[in-house]
Amino acid sequence: MLAAAIPAAAAQAVATLQQVVAQVDRGQFAQAEAAIAQALADRRLPQAQRERLEFERERMRRIRLDFGLDAEQAKARIRNAIPDLREDEFAAWDAAGLIEHLDIDGQRRYFNRAPSNLFRLSPAAAARRAPPVRPLRSGPYETLNPHHREVIEAARDSASTSLAPRRLRVTQSLTVHADAVPAGETVRAWIPYPRAIPGQQEDIRWVGSVPAGGEPAAEDALQRTAYLQAPAVAGRPTKFSISYELTVYARHFDIDPDKVVPAPASAGLAPYLQPRPPHVVFTPALREFSRQVVGDETNPYRIARKLFAAVDRIPWAGAREYSTLSNISDYALHAGHADCGQQTLLLIALLRMNGIPARWQSGWTFSDDAVGYDNMHDWGWMYLAPYGWVPMDVTTGALDSDDPALRDFYFGGLDAYRIAFNDDWTQPLVPAKRFFRSETVDSQRGEAEWRGGNLYFDQWDYDFDWRMLPPGDRH
C-alpha cells in the first residue's frame, strides 16, 4: 500500500505545482499560498516538488518587489515627463497593456519600470513628454556604427570569420550591503568570468581578485564564474571583485541563402532542436505565430530570416526579473514588449520548432565610442548547414542601411564589443549554490549567499569596469 501511495502522492504534487504556478502567474497569491502550505504539510511530498513549491513562495515575494507601484505612484512617475497627464490617458494606456500591471489578490500593482517603458511602447505617450525631451538611451551598436563597416571591410579582405580584435581589461565587482549578513558570518560570492571560445574570445588572463584567492570555474562550465568568500564585518559592506584581460573578435559569416540546406540529423545537434521547459515550450500559440510568419517557406535561411524579423518587431522594454516568469518565451510572445533575453529565448523556441538548431549566449556589452557605456546583453547562435553555427542578435536586429551586409550585420555576425560569460541558460554554478539563485536563467551580475540563505538583488550592488588596451598590449 505504501509503495502505491508514493507514486500517487508524486502525481498529486505535480498537479499541485502546475496549479500553483498558474495561480502565481494570475496574481492569485492567497490561493497559491494556501495550496503551497497544504502540500508542504504532507510528509510524503517528494523533495524535488517541495523545493519547487518553496520557490513559488519565493517567486511571489520577488514579484511583489518588481510590482512595487500602486496607481497613484505610477501616475506620479509618468507625470515627471507629462506634468498634465489626464486620467483618461492613463486609463487608456493601462487598458491597452502599455503600463504593465498585475492584479495581485484583486489589487492592481504596476511594474516598477512600466512608467519609463511606456515611452518606448507608445508613440502617443512619447509625443506628450514635456521639454526638454531626453532621447531614450540605446547602445552605440544598436544603430549603424563605423565599427560595423570596419568589420564588413575586413571580411571582404580576409577569408577569416574572426575579425577586428579588441583587447581589454575588466574588473567586475559585487558589493553586499553593510549588515545584510550578521558580523562574522561567511559571505559566498560568484562573479561571471569568461570562457575561452575559439575565434570569439581568446587569450584570457586572470589578473587577480579581492579578496585574493578567487577560484575560476573550469573552462567547460557553461555559466562560468569565479568563486570568492569573505567574512561580514559589522557596519561595513562586503566587497568582492575579479580582474582579467582578454581579446574579443568580431564575427562575420558570408552566407549564400541558396546554399543553405536542412541541418543534418546528429546527436550533437539534437538537443538544440528540442523544447526545454519551462522557458522553451512549443505551445499552441507559438505554433500559430510560427505558421503565420513562416507560411510555405522551406529554405532554412529564409525561415530564420522571417522569424528574426518578426521577433525584431517586438519593442524592447525594461524587463521583469527572469526568475519571476514561468515561461519567458511565452511572455515575450504575449506581453507586447520584451528585452534581449526574452526576445532571444522566443527566437530560439521558434527556430527549434522549425527544425533549425539554436542555442543561447549572453554576457556584457561595452564601447570605446561612448564614454561609460556598458550593459548586460543576451544573444544567440543558430545552425545553418553547410556553414555551421552562426551568431544572431535579434534585439539589435536589422540596421538602417541599404547595404545588405550592413543591414543584416547581426544575422550571422557580432561586433567585437561583447564578452560572453554564458553558453547556455540555467546551468549550475561552481561550487554549487546552496540556496535559490537570484537569477535563475542568466548569469551576468553575479550571485551571493550566506548560511542563512540567498542574498537577493536588493541586498547587494554590482559594477562592471573596463578599459581598452592598445593593440598588442598584454600586461
Side-chain angles (χ1 to χ4, degrees):
M1 290 292 293
L2 180 59
I6 291 175
Q12 179 58 45
V14 170
T16 298
L17 177 62
Q18 292 173 341
Q19 169 192 318
V20 166
V21 169
Q23 288 170 334
V24 173
D25 287 345
R26 292 193 295 265
Q28 298 170 335
F29 285 11
Q31 294 180 35
E33 176 56 38
I36 290 170
Q38 181 178 357
L40 293 180
D42 186 347
R43 289 182 294 177
R44 299 172 302 167
L45 184 69
Q47 183 61 27
Q49 302 301 321
R50 182 176 298 276
E51 291 175 357
R52 293 188 64 184
L53 284 169
E54 288 172 343
F55 180 74
E56 287 304 306
R57 182 176 276 167
E58 169 66 5
R59 186 160 75 100
M60 287 189 283
R61 187 187 75 85
R62 296 181 182 189
I63 290 173
R64 288 190 185 276
L65 290 175
D66 263 5
F67 287 80
L69 306 177
D70 62 20
E72 292 309 311
Q73 291 168 322
K75 292 174 189 176
R77 291 197 182 183
I78 295 172
R79 286 193 178 102
N80 289 332
I82 308 176
D84 60 343
L85 174 71
R86 302 190 310 270
E87 290 292 332
D88 65 301
E89 284 180 310
F90 182 88
W93 292 332
D94 191 20
L98 298 170
I99 311 172
E100 186 170 3
H101 63 259
L102 180 66
D103 294 334
I104 300 177
D105 293 333
Q107 181 183 19
R108 180 149 296 187
R109 304 294 297 179
Y110 292 87
F111 177 42
N112 297 334
R113 299 180 68 176
S116 58
N117 283 342
L118 172 65
F119 302 111
R120 292 184 177 275
L121 305 178
S122 169
R128 287 276 284 118
R129 291 186 298 166
V133 176
R134 296 179 180 177
L136 298 174
R137 185 173 183 240
S138 60
Y141 303 107
E142 294 176 29
T143 56
L144 201 60
N145 182 286
H147 175 61
H148 298 126
R149 293 188 176 88
E150 174 194 7
V151 174
I152 296 301
E153 289 171 4
R156 288 169 178 160
D157 296 334
S158 171
S160 177
T161 62
S162 300
L163 307 152
R166 302 294 195 267
R167 187 158 184 84
L168 69 157
R169 174 177 286 197
V170 173
T171 296
Q172 187 160 353
S173 61
L174 187 160
T175 303
V176 177
H177 297 170
D179 301 319
V181 173
E185 293 285 355
T186 298
V187 182
R188 309 173 74 215
W190 292 256
I191 297 179
Y193 185 66
R195 308 171 70 229
I197 304 173
Q200 182 177 350
Q201 52 192 37
E202 300 178 350
D203 196 16
I204 300 171
R205 186 175 77 88
W206 175 267
V207 175
S209 67
V210 177
E215 301 175 14
E219 188 74 46
D220 61 356
L222 293 178
Q223 290 195 327
R224 196 181 190 195
T225 56
Y227 174 75
L228 307 99
Q229 62 182 43
V233 177
R236 291 168 50 185
T238 308
K239 299 181 178 181
F240 303 93
S241 69
I242 63 171
S243 298
Y244 56 89
E245 295 177 2
L246 79 167
T247 299
V248 182
Y249 293 83
R251 307 302 307 274
H252 178 76
F253 292 80
D254 187 13
I255 302 169
D256 181 345
D258 292 326
K259 292 182 179 179
V260 175
V261 296
S266 73
L269 292 177
Y272 305 106
L273 289 165
Q274 300 300 316
R276 187 170 144 193
H279 298 303
V280 172
V281 181
F282 300 166
T283 63
L286 196 71
R287 291 186 184 280
E288 176 59 20
F289 181 81
S290 173
R291 185 191 66 77
Q292 292 177 3
V293 171
V294 173
D296 297 328
E297 183 59 66
T298 58
N299 177 282
Y301 177 92
R302 296 186 175 91
I303 290 173
R305 276 292 308 274
K306 285 188 169 188
L307 294 172
F308 184 93
V311 176
D312 187 20
R313 286 192 289 271
I314 297 173
W316 183 94
R320 292 171 54 177
E321 289 295 344
Y322 288 3
S323 65
T324 69
L325 298 169
S326 62
N327 181 339
I328 290 176
S329 62
D330 185 71
Y331 174 85
L333 183 63
H334 292 104
H337 59 83
D339 81 339
C340 54
Q342 295 163 351
Q343 288 177 311
T344 298
L345 281 169
L346 174 58
L347 182 55
I348 286 173
L350 288 163
L351 289 169
R352 290 184 179 190
M353 181 186 295
N354 283 276
I356 301 170
R359 58 183 175 87
W360 168 278
Q361 199 167 76
S362 70
W364 212 283
T365 59
F366 47 91
S367 172
D368 56 7
D369 288 351
V371 176
Y373 176 81
D374 53 69
N375 204 358
M376 296 176 285
H377 193 48
D378 306 329
W379 60 97
W381 290 71
M382 57 187 168
Y383 191 94
L384 296 178
Y387 298 94
W389 287 105
V390 300
M392 58 183 186
D393 185 341
V394 69
T395 306
T396 305
L399 299 175
D400 186 12
S401 175
D402 294 330
D403 181 344
L406 290 170
R407 181 195 65 205
D408 299 330
F409 185 94
Y410 289 102
F411 188 83
L414 294 175
D415 54 72
Y417 292 93
R418 61 184 68 204
I419 298 174
F421 298 133
N422 310 299
D423 272 318
D424 202 350
W425 72 90
T426 312
Q427 294 299 306
L429 303 183
V430 180
K433 219 168 170 290
R434 297 170 187 162
F435 300 98
F436 298 134
R437 281 170 55 167
S438 293
E439 172 54 88
T440 55
V441 177
D442 219 341
S443 175
Q444 294 157 306
R445 291 168 282 188
E447 295 283 337
E449 68 180 22
W450 68 293
R451 69 183 179 94
N454 178 59
L455 294 170
Y456 195 54
F457 293 126
D458 56 344
Q459 295 173 292
W460 50 270
D461 301 309
Y462 60 94
D463 198 14
F464 181 91
D465 293 321
W466 55 271
R467 177 170 61 89
M468 301 302 295
L469 301 176
D473 188 5
R474 190 177 189 279
H475 293 280

